[in-house]
Amino acid sequence: MFSHRRFRKFCKWNVLFLAAISLAVPVAHAQQNGFIQKKLIETGWDKPDTARLRANLAQMEQSPFDGVVISAIGKDDAGKPVYMLATFSSEPWKQEWFQNCVDDLKAIHPKKLTDNFITVGSNPGNVDFFDDAGWKQIVDHCRIAAWIAEEGNLKGILFDPEAYTHPYSQFDFGTQAQRDKHTFDQYQAKARQRGKEMIAAMAAVDPNLVILTYFMDSTTAAAANSTNPQLELLTSYSNLYPSFINGWLDAAPASMTFVDGCESQGYRANSPLDYAQAANLVRNSALSLVAPENRQKYRAQVQASSGLYLDAYSNAPGSYWYIDPKGATPTQRLQANLKSALHAADEYVWVYDEQYRWWPTPNESVKPENWEDKLPGIGDAMLGLTHPDLMIEQKLAEFEKNGKLINLLQNGDFSAPPDTTPSYWSVWQQSGSPGTLTQDVSVSHQNDKSGSAKLSAVKSGFLMQAINAKPSETYIVQAWNRQVGKGSIWVRVRWETAAGDWTDADSDTSFFADKSTVDANGWQRIQGVVTVPANAGKLVVLLASANQASAQDVVWFDDVRVFKVQ
């Protein structure tokens, strides 16, 4: 039960909060039902081509990702490989050269990897923006890429604007062959025209494409934040890219989506603020580089994303590409940053990896170790954020097999001899709430007469139990509930310091019933995954009810369990 000191502190922090929650829970359900599922995309040196995706799909679907970036490798009339990565070249291509890629993609039926992207690269980038014949071929290459994506049931295109074929650089005015004949302003206009031609050709094939990029205007952040963007752009190696993007917006139908991947900002980000600032750059600052007539379209169709560079979590201290784990393990730091990235992003977050692998790859630059070997627990850490139900299913099966299915709560099945309230559980109700929160020996989830917790006529209140926990630890929380009549029900996880004071309110998490799990007796499951925040020493489980109007409005909780994952 509460001490007087803890009770006073609890009331100070929670009376207004729970009063608001009691009114807001139905709205929360509506928001949850319309929530955009955040998705995690993998790309890097182990990137599969369509043939390897087809061969390794079953293994790849065991990864924590929602999609992968894929290379398309066709064959010309002589049987030589043709790489879609070399999209920005003046060489004529034939669509049928890439039929093998379409055949590979049509042969697979992913269940989990639903958001896959084919790579379009801006290399070799040796076609001047004023070269009409060369750009006719580039636009046709992009059309072929859209055809592969549409025929292969992919989500869209991964556009890589980075220059890898020096001295060429498609979006640098200084490398253009005709730069002595045309001004920077004229090149900006021509780049915009070419961007418009590219997207028009793609949209004609599939107007619903998602164009995911490693970066859009976030790469020219200095210009976006400058009082004179035009002059600042001239100091950038991507000074023509914003104009090219304006061309995209000129031609894009309302059904097309663009994603700024914020590579430069994301690779070294190491706090929630870092990711929030990157998202703000995309949503607000970058508007200074968008033509006034396209700003409304930009706001509606350009999403903020972020990239995480996995090697920065495995590199040695002293490397420029090193993320300080801040006293946690590298895996725990990665999990914290991924959570921040997902919160800040509109829909997509992506990870880039080089030294190690997730699946088989012929790339000899990739070491033989898997990422799970290098960063133990990385799969669970990622999956718990993007697909918690799947992670819970896998971990509970593993724990049961290994004999480690240990519930950290006391009397979570409410089988202890009944008292005024269930043993080991504390009770709280909002002032004026007439409800009863008791143990009911006549009702149980397993029909084993072990009992359950019963809450009725509760305006706002809950049962509560705390367990010891340490920062960065991850836990599974699970409960079953059955409801009769009116009311809102949920399980909430809150945090206390080791001394018992409430802390880290921003990390409080609520879980609601999964109606797809309801059994013949009306019991349904509530579950989720939580990670202990920095200041916490206790994890607190709240079995909550609100808006019950009479004694006929009842909810039972049973089989409440907490398991430590890592």
Side-chain angles (χ1 to χ4, degrees):
M1 298 292 288
F2 283 124
S3 69
H4 291 300
R5 178 178 63 83
R6 288 181 65 202
F7 183 79
R8 287 196 301 272
K9 285 182 176 290
F10 180 81
C11 291
K12 178 180 178 181
W13 281 82
N14 290 275
V15 169
L16 293 177
F17 167 77
L18 282 170
I21 280 289
S22 68
L23 298 175
V25 166
V27 179
H29 278 296
Q31 290 173 344
Q32 185 185 39
N33 293 338
F35 182 70
I36 295 178
Q37 175 66 42
K38 304 294 180 73
K39 302 181 182 72
L40 185 61
I41 309 300
E42 193 275 346
T43 179
W45 287 4
D46 61 353
K47 179 192 306 176
D49 58 24
T50 57
R52 281 188 283 120
L53 175 66
R54 180 177 182 177
N56 298 302
L57 180 65
Q59 177 181 349
M60 295 173 70
E61 291 224 287
Q62 298 304 308
S63 73
F65 303 109
D66 299 280
V68 294
V69 174
I70 310 162
S71 294
I73 305 175
K75 293 182 180 179
D76 67 13
D77 293 336
K80 292 177 58 179
V82 181
Y83 297 91
M84 184 58 72
L85 281 169
T87 316
F88 279 42
S89 70
S90 59
E91 297 296 322
W93 290 355
K94 296 179 182 178
Q95 181 170 291
E96 57 263 31
W97 290 356
F98 293 89
Q99 184 63 48
N100 62 300
C101 299
V102 171
D103 293 343
D104 287 333
L105 295 171
K106 283 188 171 182
I108 64 173
H109 303 284
K111 297 179 180 178
K112 183 168 172 290
L113 293 177
T114 56
D115 288 53
N116 300 313
F117 296 83
I118 200 107
T119 304
V120 166
S122 64
N123 286 273
N126 56 356
V127 181
D128 188 275
F129 275 110
F130 282 87
D131 182 348
D132 291 336
W135 269 93
K136 181 178 180 181
Q137 299 305 323
I138 291 175
V139 169
D140 192 54
H141 299 167
C142 293
R143 179 195 62 78
I144 293 172
W147 169 76
I148 296 171
E150 197 275 335
E151 288 289 309
N153 198 32
L154 301 180
K155 180 61 66 172
I157 303 296
L158 183 284
F159 182 67
D160 184 356
E162 188 168 348
Y164 302 115
T165 318
H166 300 295
Y168 306 113
S169 182
Q170 188 65 67
F171 301 110
D172 183 4
F173 169 65
T175 68
Q176 298 299 306
Q178 300 185 42
R179 62 186 178 277
D180 294 334
K181 298 180 181 179
H182 306 282
T183 66
F184 179 56
D185 288 353
Q186 290 171 330
Y187 262 102
Q188 284 182 304
K190 188 58 70 172
R192 183 170 177 173
Q193 174 190 329
R194 301 310 186 191
K196 181 177 181 179
E197 292 168 355
M198 170 185 170
I199 291 301
M202 288 179 152
V205 176
D206 184 356
N208 299 307
L209 283 173
V210 175
I211 310 296
L212 172 64
T213 71
Y214 290 137
F215 47 81
M216 287 174 60
D217 286 333
S218 62
T219 197
T220 47
N225 290 307
S226 174
T227 56
N228 195 324
Q230 186 75 346
L231 289 179
E232 188 69 41
L233 273 178
L234 282 169
T235 70
S236 168
Y237 293 112
S238 300
N239 44 47
L240 295 175
Y241 192 34
S243 298
F244 194 71
I245 292 168
N246 268 306
W248 286 358
L249 296 170
D250 289 337
S255 54
M256 187 172 280
T257 300
F258 302 92
V259 184
D260 189 327
C262 285
E263 176 184 305
S264 299
Q265 293 75 22
Y267 275 15
R268 290 171 58 81
N270 199 20
S271 72
L273 179 60
D274 290 340
Y275 292 101
Q277 288 176 331
N280 182 65
L281 170 62
V282 174
R283 297 184 184 120
N284 295 301
S285 301
L287 285 168
S288 65
L289 302 177
V290 178
E293 62 272 21
N294 281 333
R295 286 175 184 166
Q296 191 61 38
K297 182 180 282 191
Y298 179 96
R299 289 188 180 99
Q301 293 178 239
V302 176
Q303 295 183 350
S305 175
S306 198
L308 283 79
Y309 182 43
L310 292 192
D311 294 65
Y313 297 86
S314 64
N315 289 337
S319 167
Y320 178 79
W321 296 110
Y322 171 73
I323 296 293
D324 181 359
K326 298 184 177 180
T329 68
T331 300
Q332 290 170 336
R333 191 68 230 155
L334 171 63
Q335 181 185 44
N337 283 338
L338 177 57
K339 181 178 180 179
S340 297
L342 289 165
H343 281 175
D346 290 305
E347 185 171 3
Y348 291 101
V349 172
W350 53 282
V351 299
Y352 193 90
D353 47 85
E354 295 178 346
Q355 297 182 70
Y356 307 99
R357 64 187 68 203
W358 291 98
W359 36 69
T361 176
N363 188 344
E364 295 181 354
S365 297
V366 180
K367 297 176 182 177
E369 295 96 333
N370 293 318
W371 277 106
E372 190 68 41
D373 299 325
K374 191 63 180 177
L375 297 175
I378 186 175
D380 290 339
M382 290 181 166
L383 198 62
L385 292 171
T386 56
H387 295 277
D389 287 342
L390 179 57
M391 183 268 215
I392 291 170
E393 177 185 344
Q394 292 177 355
K395 295 307 293 184
L396 294 189
E398 175 189 323
F399 292 160
E400 189 166 21
K401 179 180 179 181
N402 297 334
K404 297 181 178 179
L405 196 63
I406 302 171
N407 185 8
L408 299 176
L409 291 177
Q410 299 289 329
N411 194 27
D413 61 358
F414 301 96
S415 61
D419 200 343
T420 306
T421 58
S423 299
Y424 301 100
W425 293 88
S426 300
V427 173
W428 183 88
Q429 280 196 85
Q430 179 184 335
S431 176
S433 176
T436 58
L437 298 89
T438 62
Q439 184 162 329
D440 188 343
V441 297
S442 67
V443 176
S444 62
H445 171 224
Q446 302 291 346
N447 290 323
D448 56 5
K449 301 187 185 301
S450 63
S452 61
K454 179 181 178 181
L455 289 73
S456 62
V458 177
K459 182 178 180 181
S460 182
F462 49 72
L463 295 167
M464 182 184 81
Q465 186 177 150
I467 64 171
N468 293 328
K470 296 179 181 179
S472 299
E473 292 178 339
T474 298
Y475 291 84
I476 292 169
V477 179
Q478 189 180 76
W480 287 82
N481 74 89
R482 175 185 167 195
Q483 184 176 16
V484 174
K486 300 177 181 179
S488 303
I489 54 176
W490 69 101
V491 172
R492 188 168 183 84
V493 175
R494 299 206 65 199
W495 309 101
E496 290 181 344
T497 65
D501 296 319
W502 295 103
T503 187
D504 289 286
D506 290 343
S507 297
D508 291 356
T509 307
S510 293
F511 304 113
F512 300 90
D514 180 354
K515 297 186 183 301
S516 69
T517 63
V518 65
D519 64 18
N521 295 315
W523 288 91
Q524 52 191 352
R525 188 183 65 207
I526 298 177
Q527 66 180 14
V529 179
V530 294
T531 298
V532 184
N535 300 316
K538 294 179 183 292
L539 180 157
V540 189
V541 177
L542 284 67
L543 309 179
S545 180
N547 303 320
Q548 292 178 322
S550 71
Q552 283 68 52
D553 300 325
V554 182
V555 59
W556 292 268
F557 287 98
D558 200 3
D559 292 332
V560 186
R561 309 190 294 177
V562 174
F563 304 104
K564 182 180 177 181
V565 176
Q566 55 170 300

